[in-house]
Amino acid sequence: MFLHAAVLPPHGQWLVQHRPASPVQLLDGPAAMVDFAADIQHRIRTRRNRIR
């Protein structure tokens, strides 16, 4: 899972999208965005460890 787009609109919630055609998710504030990014990193590292 990768991040295709992330936008911070004026209302302070993040709009994120995994792939160009995927639905947009609404994340409630900076802490949720950090958690989201950490989840992506964890999934990438887990996949790399399985491949090795």
Side-chain angles (χ1 to χ4, degrees):
M1 172 171 69
F2 294 99
L3 181 61
H4 172 70
V7 177
L8 179 61
H11 55 72
Q13 296 174 316
W14 284 90
L15 301 172
V16 297
Q17 189 176 27
H18 293 281
R19 294 179 192 89
S22 68
V24 174
Q25 287 182 294
L26 179 66
L27 301 178
D28 192 25
M33 185 61 184
V34 171
D35 290 342
F36 181 76
D39 183 51
I40 292 172
Q41 287 181 340
H42 175 75
R43 290 173 190 230
I44 291 170
R45 289 180 181 150
T46 301
R47 285 184 190 163
R48 284 182 185 164
N49 288 338
R50 286 185 202 156
I51 294 171
R52 290 180 187 178

